[in-house]
Amino acid sequence: MAYRVIQWATGNVGKLAIEAVEAHRDLELVGVWVHSAEKAGQPFGGVTATSDIDAILALNADCVVYTPLLGQTEEVARILRSEKNVVTPVGWFYPKNTAGIAELEAACREGGVTLHGTGIHPGGITERFPLTLSALCTNIRHVRAEEFSDIRNYQAEAVVRDIMLFGKPPDEAAHSPMLEILGSGFGQSVRMVADALELTIEPELRTSHEMAVATKDLDTPVGLVPAGTVAAQRFTWQATVDGEPRITARVNWLMGEDLDPPWKLGGERFEVSFDADPPLHVVFHGLHPEVVGDDLDRNRGLLATANHVVNSIPYVCDAEPGVKTYLDLPLIAGRAIP
Ligand SMILES: NC(=O)c1ccc[n+]([C@@H]2O[C@H](COP(=O)([O-])OP(=O)(O)OC[C@H]3O[C@@H](n4cnc5c(N)ncnc54)[C@H](OP(=O)(O)O)[C@@H]3O)[C@@H](O)[C@H]2O)c1
């Protein structure tokens, strides 16, 4: 019997998650919740969307794929109490000791269900895959997981300009909220890796935010980025022992290579590297478009995010109640075409 699935919000990831549910032999889409009033009543993947939370929670369903802009603890707790499992890329990758976790654990037990945070970065490249690869190594001295992306592939103007602060003067972008917004997720990844490797790290993570400016006016999918304004940013989260970095998660977002300082992207990719015995270096290709600017409305990184979330559903539905991470769940696999 198929697991009955509700899609919660139909942005980039939500729409791709609907595709993934429909392509999965063990899953059936039974409901869609939308935030925007104008989308209510429209068909999505064969079901009619609603913006009525009571109506969607009254549905008989096994799992909610929760992909709104920002996760809200009280809303997730309500879904869990309605006896629906929740899988999501918005957070809760390794949420021990984080705010609201007791409420979510209680809601899981009340509903007899599970909450699982998963995705790609964080939720894949920064902890699930490094930990899998770590089994090939001994004497692990340093683990690094790093994204190299051309941010011109990300078409969300409001996010890229107003939240990420691309195209702003460096002194304004220096106050970026991104280190903190992203850090809640990447910080959990770094701590998960440390705990699984049984490494006792210093309580505070070391963080940094570096920037490069455009050396000429750049014409981008989110509009003009004038010369002298921020056109590349690098965010780093590191776990240290005795001041030495032992685990590093890093994001490099560039708008091309006309930059000062002269940062180079060297091709879009994700990397996972071990300074260990043996020294291991894994590069993920295929999670970016072959040519910058292609497939903007079907971004491959977001596709992988949606797939990772949706493919976890059968395992999450079968898990014991509670907040569950990769350290608790069995190996999650995709499905072959029949
Ligand atoms: N972990 C990872 O690897 C990973 C990767 C990518 C994205 N993400 C996260 O996944 C989430 C979704 O990303 P996305 O690219 O799909 O974003 P998006 O395209 O901006 O879509 C978000 C959707 O949220 C709904 N929404 C907007 N404002 C809202 C509000 N005030 N309250 C509740 N819902 C609201 C809208 O749904 P309707 O259109 O249905 O009205 C909107 O389409 C984000 O939190 C993002 O950070 C995580």
Side-chain angles (χ1 to χ4, degrees), residues 292-306:
V292 172
D294 276 4
D295 300 330
L296 286 183
D297 54 356
R298 207 160 179 278
N299 177 302
R300 291 181 185 186
L302 298 180
L303 185 59
T305 302

PDB file of all heavy atoms in Angstrom, residues 292-306:
ATOM      1  N   VAL A 292      25.974  27.897 -17.122  1.00  0.00           N
ATOM      2  CA  VAL A 292      25.365  28.852 -16.189  1.00  0.00           C
ATOM      3  C   VAL A 292      24.139  29.496 -16.846  1.00  0.00           C
ATOM      4  O   VAL A 292      24.226  29.959 -17.985  1.00  0.00           O
ATOM      5  CB  VAL A 292      26.390  29.934 -15.776  1.00  0.00           C
ATOM      6  CG1 VAL A 292      25.723  31.034 -14.970  1.00  0.00           C
ATOM      7  CG2 VAL A 292      27.517  29.298 -14.972  1.00  0.00           C
ATOM      8  N   GLY A 293      23.023  29.476 -16.145  1.00  0.00           N
ATOM      9  CA  GLY A 293      21.814  30.102 -16.670  1.00  0.00           C
ATOM     10  C   GLY A 293      20.843  29.116 -17.312  1.00  0.00           C
ATOM     11  O   GLY A 293      19.698  29.479 -17.581  1.00  0.00           O
ATOM     12  N   ASP A 294      21.278  27.862 -17.534  1.00  0.00           N
ATOM     13  CA  ASP A 294      20.351  26.860 -18.081  1.00  0.00           C
ATOM     14  C   ASP A 294      19.437  26.329 -16.975  1.00  0.00           C
ATOM     15  O   ASP A 294      19.830  26.280 -15.814  1.00  0.00           O
ATOM     16  CB  ASP A 294      21.139  25.674 -18.667  1.00  0.00           C
ATOM     17  CG  ASP A 294      21.595  25.950 -20.093  1.00  0.00           C
ATOM     18  OD1 ASP A 294      21.355  27.083 -20.560  1.00  0.00           O
ATOM     19  OD2 ASP A 294      22.189  25.048 -20.705  1.00  0.00           O
ATOM     20  N   ASP A 295      18.259  25.872 -17.357  1.00  0.00           N
ATOM     21  CA  ASP A 295      17.329  25.179 -16.439  1.00  0.00           C
ATOM     22  C   ASP A 295      17.059  25.982 -15.169  1.00  0.00           C
ATOM     23  O   ASP A 295      16.994  25.425 -14.075  1.00  0.00           O
ATOM     24  CB  ASP A 295      17.888  23.808 -16.017  1.00  0.00           C
ATOM     25  CG  ASP A 295      18.124  22.900 -17.199  1.00  0.00           C
ATOM     26  OD1 ASP A 295      17.384  23.037 -18.190  1.00  0.00           O
ATOM     27  OD2 ASP A 295      19.034  22.064 -17.127  1.00  0.00           O
ATOM     28  N   LEU A 296      16.899  27.307 -15.310  1.00  0.00           N
ATOM     29  CA  LEU A 296      16.714  28.129 -14.114  1.00  0.00           C
ATOM     30  C   LEU A 296      15.460  27.728 -13.350  1.00  0.00           C
ATOM     31  O   LEU A 296      15.414  27.820 -12.127  1.00  0.00           O
ATOM     32  CB  LEU A 296      16.621  29.616 -14.501  1.00  0.00           C
ATOM     33  CG  LEU A 296      17.943  30.274 -14.920  1.00  0.00           C
ATOM     34  CD1 LEU A 296      17.736  31.738 -15.203  1.00  0.00           C
ATOM     35  CD2 LEU A 296      19.008  30.094 -13.846  1.00  0.00           C
ATOM     36  N   ASP A 297      14.409  27.275 -14.065  1.00  0.00           N
ATOM     37  CA  ASP A 297      13.164  26.927 -13.369  1.00  0.00           C
ATOM     38  C   ASP A 297      13.143  25.464 -12.930  1.00  0.00           C
ATOM     39  O   ASP A 297      12.150  24.984 -12.391  1.00  0.00           O
ATOM     40  CB  ASP A 297      11.936  27.264 -14.227  1.00  0.00           C
ATOM     41  CG  ASP A 297      12.017  26.639 -15.602  1.00  0.00           C
ATOM     42  OD1 ASP A 297      13.064  26.012 -15.901  1.00  0.00           O
ATOM     43  OD2 ASP A 297      11.040  26.773 -16.361  1.00  0.00           O
ATOM     44  N   ARG A 298      14.225  24.731 -13.185  1.00  0.00           N
ATOM     45  CA  ARG A 298      14.298  23.344 -12.705  1.00  0.00           C
ATOM     46  C   ARG A 298      15.731  23.100 -12.225  1.00  0.00           C
ATOM     47  O   ARG A 298      16.415  22.207 -12.686  1.00  0.00           O
ATOM     48  CB  ARG A 298      13.887  22.387 -13.833  1.00  0.00           C
ATOM     49  CG  ARG A 298      13.324  21.089 -13.336  1.00  0.00           C
ATOM     50  CD  ARG A 298      12.487  20.363 -14.383  1.00  0.00           C
ATOM     51  NE  ARG A 298      11.999  19.112 -13.841  1.00  0.00           N
ATOM     52  CZ  ARG A 298      12.720  17.991 -13.798  1.00  0.00           C
ATOM     53  NH1 ARG A 298      13.935  17.962 -14.291  1.00  0.00           N
ATOM     54  NH2 ARG A 298      12.204  16.893 -13.279  1.00  0.00           N
ATOM     55  N   ASN A 299      16.096  23.945 -11.261  1.00  0.00           N
ATOM     56  CA  ASN A 299      17.453  23.942 -10.708  1.00  0.00           C
ATOM     57  C   ASN A 299      17.804  22.553 -10.165  1.00  0.00           C
ATOM     58  O   ASN A 299      17.084  21.988  -9.354  1.00  0.00           O
ATOM     59  CB  ASN A 299      17.463  25.004  -9.601  1.00  0.00           C
ATOM     60  CG  ASN A 299      18.761  25.092  -8.873  1.00  0.00           C
ATOM     61  OD1 ASN A 299      19.234  24.137  -8.296  1.00  0.00           O
ATOM     62  ND2 ASN A 299      19.339  26.286  -8.892  1.00  0.00           N
ATOM     63  N   ARG A 300      18.936  21.999 -10.625  1.00  0.00           N
ATOM     64  CA  ARG A 300      19.284  20.615 -10.279  1.00  0.00           C
ATOM     65  C   ARG A 300      19.574  20.426  -8.788  1.00  0.00           C
ATOM     66  O   ARG A 300      19.326  19.357  -8.237  1.00  0.00           O
ATOM     67  CB  ARG A 300      20.514  20.180 -11.063  1.00  0.00           C
ATOM     68  CG  ARG A 300      20.262  20.014 -12.532  1.00  0.00           C
ATOM     69  CD  ARG A 300      21.547  19.557 -13.160  1.00  0.00           C
ATOM     70  NE  ARG A 300      21.457  19.464 -14.602  1.00  0.00           N
ATOM     71  CZ  ARG A 300      22.449  18.959 -15.348  1.00  0.00           C
ATOM     72  NH1 ARG A 300      23.559  18.543 -14.780  1.00  0.00           N
ATOM     73  NH2 ARG A 300      22.310  18.883 -16.650  1.00  0.00           N
ATOM     74  N   GLY A 301      20.156  21.450  -8.166  1.00  0.00           N
ATOM     75  CA  GLY A 301      20.408  21.345  -6.724  1.00  0.00           C
ATOM     76  C   GLY A 301      19.096  21.259  -5.949  1.00  0.00           C
ATOM     77  O   GLY A 301      18.969  20.494  -4.990  1.00  0.00           O
ATOM     78  N   LEU A 302      18.108  22.044  -6.402  1.00  0.00           N
ATOM     79  CA  LEU A 302      16.801  21.993  -5.736  1.00  0.00           C
ATOM     80  C   LEU A 302      16.086  20.680  -6.039  1.00  0.00           C
ATOM     81  O   LEU A 302      15.363  20.143  -5.209  1.00  0.00           O
ATOM     82  CB  LEU A 302      15.939  23.183  -6.159  1.00  0.00           C
ATOM     83  CG  LEU A 302      16.507  24.563  -5.797  1.00  0.00           C
ATOM     84  CD1 LEU A 302      15.562  25.669  -6.259  1.00  0.00           C
ATOM     85  CD2 LEU A 302      16.752  24.681  -4.303  1.00  0.00           C
ATOM     86  N   LEU A 303      16.315  20.158  -7.256  1.00  0.00           N
ATOM     87  CA  LEU A 303      15.746  18.855  -7.622  1.00  0.00           C
ATOM     88  C   LEU A 303      16.304  17.768  -6.694  1.00  0.00           C
ATOM     89  O   LEU A 303      15.551  16.936  -6.159  1.00  0.00           O
ATOM     90  CB  LEU A 303      16.126  18.562  -9.078  1.00  0.00           C
ATOM     91  CG  LEU A 303      15.573  17.316  -9.745  1.00  0.00           C
ATOM     92  CD1 LEU A 303      14.064  17.327  -9.756  1.00  0.00           C
ATOM     93  CD2 LEU A 303      16.106  17.224 -11.189  1.00  0.00           C
ATOM     94  N   ALA A 304      17.614  17.786  -6.474  1.00  0.00           N
ATOM     95  CA  ALA A 304      18.225  16.799  -5.573  1.00  0.00           C
ATOM     96  C   ALA A 304      17.717  16.986  -4.147  1.00  0.00           C
ATOM     97  O   ALA A 304      17.492  16.008  -3.419  1.00  0.00           O
ATOM     98  CB  ALA A 304      19.747  16.920  -5.625  1.00  0.00           C
ATOM     99  N   THR A 305      17.513  18.249  -3.752  1.00  0.00           N
ATOM    100  CA  THR A 305      16.973  18.520  -2.415  1.00  0.00           C
ATOM    101  C   THR A 305      15.596  17.879  -2.270  1.00  0.00           C
ATOM    102  O   THR A 305      15.328  17.131  -1.317  1.00  0.00           O
ATOM    103  CB  THR A 305      16.845  20.041  -2.197  1.00  0.00           C
ATOM    104  OG1 THR A 305      18.125  20.643  -2.369  1.00  0.00           O
ATOM    105  CG2 THR A 305      16.296  20.361  -0.826  1.00  0.00           C
ATOM    106  N   ALA A 306      14.717  18.163  -3.234  1.00  0.00           N
ATOM    107  CA  ALA A 306      13.349  17.620  -3.189  1.00  0.00           C
ATOM    108  C   ALA A 306      13.380  16.095  -3.191  1.00  0.00           C
ATOM    109  O   ALA A 306      12.653  15.440  -2.430  1.00  0.00           O
ATOM    110  CB  ALA A 306      12.549  18.140  -4.381  1.00  0.00           C
TER     111      ALA A 306
END
